[in-house]
Amino acid sequence: MEVVTTYRILRKEVLAPTLNMFEIEAPLVTKKAKAGQFVILRIHEEGERIPLTIADFDREKGTITCVFQEVGKTTKELGALGEGDFIKDFVGPLGLPSHIEKYGRIACVGGGVGVAPVHPIARALKEAGNEVTGIIGARTKELLFWEDKMRAACSELRVITDDGSYARKGFVTDLLKEVIEEKGDIALCLAIGPLPMMRAVCGLTKQYNLKTFVSLNSIMVDGTGMCGCCRVSVGGETRFACVDGPEFDGHQVDFDEMARRSVIYKPKEQTALERYNSQGAHKCSCNCGGDS
Ligand code: NAD
Ligand code: FES
């Protein structure tokens, strides 16, 4: 049996400045992928592992779609790849799938890059017979993406931008409050986006006693429950986002601890990024992880 160790980028789309979408050929991962799961990829042998939530999958084509923001050295390296290029390792699907059942009316909230992972979950919830109100938000018009895909995935979609450059002006929480009060019987809320957004959503839904799931993208290394890097406190207990999540009851998550842990490696990441920027992009043979 041939062991596939490289994964081809079939399609690349630049969704917004520094925001990319890759459709990656990975038939074995695609076969088992479910909404809410993630993959861990490594660009090359010495590369850092990065977890990316599955934004879409096509079982016929055997492809997984991921959306990522170029924020550090590795995601910048990834963003420099194009159609036809290969990714060395692509492991998945990892994590528990979203719990899909018929709840009734559901609000699915995606903030910024979080719109991508919300997409397959909203679609699966709608396919399960729920009435799904999608709420998506971005800082400004040029950062908003997949409005069309979300409109198709949800029963209804509401859009907002922080600066009012497109649709309504404000935060996703403003729309969520309106939806909760207008519908009166929302049974479940799912929210994915930056930590401050998920914390704010949970603060709001707590007031309405509305069950809320959030998807936590904590720092990950192995993705299999061995290293402990992704630990989070949920309901006073330590849980591993990679094997116990990534979705958790948002009202039980210790967001303060998550925020503290999310910046632990910032100085190292900054140094790696500065080195990468100063070296430029050429291939390295000395295992330094650089490109020279
Ligand atoms: P952003 O800062 O542009 O925010 C996106 C939207 O979230 C805003 O437009 C607003 O509507 C809402 N929002 C932000 N802060 C809020 C607050 N305090 N109260 C209410 N609403 C608020 O988002 P971004 O730049 O796309 O986010 C990047 C971050 O998201 C990264 O840190 C990334 O790691 C994280 N992320 C998380 C996941 C996940 O699975 N949890 C997925 C993708 C990205
Ligand atoms: Fe290592 Fe979760 S990433 S335990």
Side-chain angles (χ1 to χ4, degrees), residues 9 15 20 22 41 50 69 85 91 107 121 132 159 180 200 212 253 260 265 285:
I9 300 164
L15 300 173
N20 299 291
F22 280 172
L41 62 83
I50 41 172
Q69 209 170 19
D85 286 338
V91 179
I121 307 172
V132 178
V159 185
I180 294 170
T212 302
V253 171
R260 282 196 302 274
Y265 296 109
S285 56

Side-chain angles (χ1 to χ4, degrees), residues 29-97:
V29 181
T30 311
K31 224 173 172 177
K32 294 186 177 165
K34 292 209 174 99
Q37 292 184 294
F38 66 96
V39 295
I40 290 190
L41 62 83
R42 216 162 49 129
I43 303 172
H44 48 71
E45 206 69 62
E46 292 83 31
E48 182 193 10
R49 293 176 171 88
I50 41 172
L52 292 175
T53 317
I54 294 170
D56 206 351
F57 49 87
D58 185 325
R59 293 203 211 281
E60 274 177 28
K61 279 164 74 183
T63 58
I64 297 280
T65 300
C66 293
V67 172
F68 63 94
Q69 209 170 19
E70 293 176 30
V71 281
K73 171 190 173 280
T74 305
T75 46
K76 264 183 186 288
E77 270 186 292
L78 190 62
L81 299 180
E83 289 177 3
D85 286 338
F86 288 90
I87 289 165
K88 174 76 179 123
D89 298 325
F90 194 82
V91 179
L94 297 167
L96 301 175

Side-chain angles (χ1 to χ4, degrees), residues 64-212:
I64 297 280
T65 300
C66 293
V67 172
F68 63 94
Q69 209 170 19
E70 293 176 30
V71 281
K73 171 190 173 280
T74 305
T75 46
K76 264 183 186 288
E77 270 186 292
L78 190 62
L81 299 180
E83 289 177 3
D85 286 338
F86 288 90
I87 289 165
K88 174 76 179 123
D89 298 325
F90 194 82
V91 179
L94 297 167
L96 301 175
S98 300
H99 189 71
I100 305 295
E101 63 174 55
K102 192 162 178 189
Y103 297 92
R105 284 189 219 277
I106 300 181
C108 285
V109 186
V113 193
V115 170
V118 163
H119 166 260
I121 307 172
R123 182 176 59 194
L125 286 166
K126 186 179 160 200
E127 281 168 5
N130 294 289
E131 189 196 296
V132 178
T133 299
I135 296 171
I136 59 172
R139 266 173 277 149
T140 190
K141 184 182 175 186
E142 72 169 345
L143 296 176
L144 189 77
F145 66 97
W146 280 16
E147 182 183 352
D148 50 346
K149 277 173 84 83
M150 279 297 285
R151 213 171 277 289
C154 300
S155 316
E156 176 203 3
L157 184 72
R158 304 190 188 193
V159 185
I160 198 156
T161 49
D162 298 10
D163 62 1
S165 53
Y166 183 71
R168 286 269 302 277
K169 181 178 181 346
F171 281 173
V172 285
T173 38
D174 299 329
L175 286 182
L176 178 60
K177 189 173 193 310
E178 283 176 16
V179 167
I180 294 170
E181 292 189 351
E182 187 187 307
K183 306 274 182 193
D185 60 352
I186 298 278
L188 182 79
C189 175
L190 167 87
I192 310 182
L195 269 186
M197 182 211 97
M198 293 193 285
R199 185 209 298 258
V201 165
C202 292
L204 175 69
T205 56
K206 241 183 203 167
Q207 295 167 29
Y208 294 90
N209 203 18
L210 170 57
K211 180 103 177 151
T212 302

Side-chain angles (χ1 to χ4, degrees), residues 5-32:
T5 54
T6 50
Y7 299 86
R8 193 155 48 116
I9 300 164
L10 288 188
R11 199 160 73 85
K12 175 181 182 179
E13 204 179 312
V14 178
L15 300 173
T18 72
L19 188 65
N20 299 291
M21 186 214 75
F22 280 172
E23 199 178 326
I24 299 159
E25 195 173 42
L28 296 180
V29 181
T30 311
K31 224 173 172 177
K32 294 186 177 165

Side-chain angles (χ1 to χ4, degrees), residues 38 40 51 218-231 239-244:
F38 66 96
I40 290 190
S218 39
I219 295 163
M220 288 189 190
V221 176
D222 65 320
T224 59
M226 303 291 284
C227 70
C229 277
C230 65
R231 66 183 179 276
R239 310 291 298 276
F240 291 162
C242 67
V243 287
D244 301 322

